[in-house]
């Protein structure tokens, strides 16, 4: 095998979510090879071997699949096989003329297993969401304010509730310099932590392996004006949540809802397939029966040549897909309430598949967005681990090279943006800075009301029942810590397909 930097394209079939469903095609031209004089037999250091095989895999993923591969061609041509691949990808991903990241999501990870589990909903967790706020005007101290807990999670069982203000974790106060370290070693550390809350109450929480069901809360609200409003608080577009979504909408349909509020304020995205299911439950029934276009995907020139330029998904009344060994067959008959309008609650944590759902529904429905500008993550990516990539090329490699690649790239992976999503007409209304709300509101976790309570600040605004005085900034004075979210936005396309 000629061990240059680029391989023939192995293109995963996006019609199914499977790492094994692939076909191959050839590119006529390849960029200049980097480090082509170096071969594995000339490397003696174990660390160099690891860097060599991980960089080789990561380079090929960026060269072939990356949405902006032409825009970063200079960085690709300067790639070295012995640099830190995490920093290399971070430094060359698409930026504006001032060097600011346009692509804030493409990344290499040296813990693929943990990264992948974080987007499936199965993870070791305490089961709480939270925002960070400065405690003082000098911005020297930071607290965590609980935004919600997953029912039955360790945090829920320990008594943590929305609005609880966490001042210290395991005796440590958080500052702008240490808060990431503190969180990584405590809440995200997978062990036991003690939280001291405002008022002096102390709570101990132990993380455990669990599935975080993103269908956290739903209800039918009757505001007293003749409406029956279906309300869904949804936090993550996992595949396993699809059957539950169908159940909830069957309940909404049975109850005869006249309106729908979809609360995506903390939903950072997930699987494209899940957004197709959810949108098919919401869009007017005639569009489902007609198989109307939901979303289109725009790729780079390599993938467009391989797949064509008509990649799109459609509304449907039935879905079949797999998630690992689990196979799903969904029948949506009788689960669509037949509405023509929708209200969506958003914040800056609303990203990717959440924005994609609204993007795809806008041409078909009257949609009112309540809240804050969304994240502006308008692209989808794929998660691929090193051994899988080497498996695609096993037959092209010389004896021992596939085995070495699998060995040294084990548990390394890449999340790479491969497409921009657009509505049926090719428009992406949340690009580049997110959706602008039609009705302004802000998330106030200390307003004293639980998620789903009609008096809660953002839900009351969405229902049109808000007391305008209740939303005065005087009721919530702490300033948010910018750039932090307790759940980073992801949009994955098969292999494995999540939408921003």
């Amino acid at each position: 095998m000629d061990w240059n930097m680029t391989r023939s394209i192995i293109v995963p079939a996006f019609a199914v979510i499977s790492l094994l469903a692939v076909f191959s095609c050839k590119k006529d031209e390849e960029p200049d090879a980097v480090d082509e004089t170096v071969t594995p037999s000339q490397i003696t250091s174990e660390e160099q071997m690891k860097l060599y095989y991980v960089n080789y895999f990561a380079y090929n993923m960026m060269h072939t699949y990356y949405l902006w591969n032409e825009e970063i061609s200079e960085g690709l041509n300067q790639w070295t096989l012995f640099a830190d691949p995490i920093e290399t990808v971070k430094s060359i991903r698409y930026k504006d003329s001032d060097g600011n990241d346009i692509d804030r999501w493409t990344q290499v990870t040296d813990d693929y297993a943990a990264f992948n589990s974080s987007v499936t909903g199965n993870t070791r967790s305490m089961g709480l969401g939270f925002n960070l706020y400065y405690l003082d005007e000098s911005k020297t101290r930071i607290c965590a304010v609980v935004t919600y807990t997953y029912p039955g999670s360790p945090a829920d069982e320990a008594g943590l509730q929305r609005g609880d203000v966490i001042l210290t974790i395991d005796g440590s106060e958080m500052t702008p310099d240490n808060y990431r370290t503190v969180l990584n070693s405590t809440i995200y550390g997978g062990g036991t932590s003690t939280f001291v809350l405002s008022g002096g109450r102390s709570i101990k929480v132990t993380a455990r392996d669990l599935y975080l069901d993103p269908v956290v809360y739903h209800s039918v609200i009757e505001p007293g004006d003749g409406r029956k409003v279906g309300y869904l608080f949804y936090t993550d577009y996992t595949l396993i949540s699809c059957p539950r979504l169908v159940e909830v909408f069957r309940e909404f349909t049975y109850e005869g809802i006249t309106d729908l509020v979809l609360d995506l304020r903390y939903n950072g995205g997930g699987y494209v397939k899940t957004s197709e299911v959810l949108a098919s439950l919401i869009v007017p029934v005639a569009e489902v029966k007609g198989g109307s276009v939901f979303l289109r995907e725009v790729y780079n020139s390599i993938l467009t040549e391989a797949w064509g330029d008509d990649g799109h998904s459609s509304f449907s009344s039935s879905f079949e897909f797999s998630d690992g060994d689990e196979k799903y067959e969904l029948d949506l008959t009788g689960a669509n309430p037949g509405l023509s309008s929708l209200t969506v609650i958003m914040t800056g944590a609303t990203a990717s598949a959440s924005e994609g759902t609204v993007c795809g529904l806008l041409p078909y429905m009257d949609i009112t967005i309540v809240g804050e500008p969304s994240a502006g993550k308008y692209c989808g990516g794929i998660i691929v681990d090193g051994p899988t990539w080497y498996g695609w090329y096993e037959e092209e490699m010389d004896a021992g090279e596939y085995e070495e690649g699998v060995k040294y790239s084990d548990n390394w992976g890449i999340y790479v943006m491969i497409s921009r999503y657009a509505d049926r007409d090719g428009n992406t209304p949340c690009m580049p800075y997110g959706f602008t709300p039609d009705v302004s509101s802000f998330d106030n976790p200390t307003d004293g009301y639980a998620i789903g309570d009609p008096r809660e600040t953002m839900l009351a605004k969405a229902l049109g029942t808000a007391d305008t005085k209740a939303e005065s900034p005087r009721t919530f004075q702490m300033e948010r810590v910018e750039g932090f979210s307790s759940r980073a936005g992801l949009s994955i396309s098969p292999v494995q397909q999540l939408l921003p």
Side-chain angles (χ1 to χ4, degrees), residues 144-205:
V145 179
V146 177
T147 51
Y148 66 98
T149 61
Y150 287 92
S153 68
D156 178 45
E157 294 169 353
L160 281 174
Q161 298 179 352
R162 176 176 170 84
D164 282 338
V165 178
I166 301 172
L167 299 178
T168 68
I169 308 176
D170 291 343
S172 297
E173 290 188 346
M174 288 185 288
T175 70
D177 295 327
N178 75 358
Y179 76 87
R180 294 185 185 276
T181 300
V182 171
L183 293 175
N184 286 334
S185 63
T186 57
I187 293 179
Y188 297 139
T192 298
S193 291
T194 299
F195 304 122
V196 174
L197 311 182
S198 58
R201 185 163 58 110
S202 178
I203 290 182
K204 182 177 290 187
V205 183

Side-chain angles (χ1 to χ4, degrees), residues 124-163:
R124 188 168 187 80
S125 174
M126 294 181 179
L128 75 155
F130 58 93
N131 289 334
L132 297 182
Y133 296 88
Y134 294 108
L135 277 169
D136 50 18
E137 292 184 0
S138 62
K139 298 183 179 180
T140 58
R141 298 172 60 211
I142 291 173
C143 68
V145 179
V146 177
T147 51
Y148 66 98
T149 61
Y150 287 92
S153 68
D156 178 45
E157 294 169 353
L160 281 174
Q161 298 179 352
R162 176 176 170 84

Side-chain angles (χ1 to χ4, degrees), residues 317-367:
S317 61
S318 63
F319 291 88
E320 294 185 13
F321 55 89
S322 299
D323 181 15
D325 295 331
E326 190 72 26
K327 298 185 183 302
Y328 295 92
E329 296 183 7
L330 301 180
D331 180 3
L332 277 56
T333 304
N336 185 312
L339 305 178
S340 59
S341 63
L342 169 69
T343 299
V344 183
I345 296 176
M346 290 187 175
T347 67
T350 305
S352 195
S354 292
E355 294 171 300
T357 299
V358 176
C359 174
L361 288 173
L362 268 172
Y364 305 100
M365 304 184 74
D366 180 12
I367 297 180

Side-chain angles (χ1 to χ4, degrees), residues 14-28:
F14 273 30
V16 296
I17 300 177
S18 170
L19 293 175
L20 299 178
V22 299
F23 64 92
S24 63
C25 62
K26 302 281 186 179
K27 281 298 291 178
D28 295 329

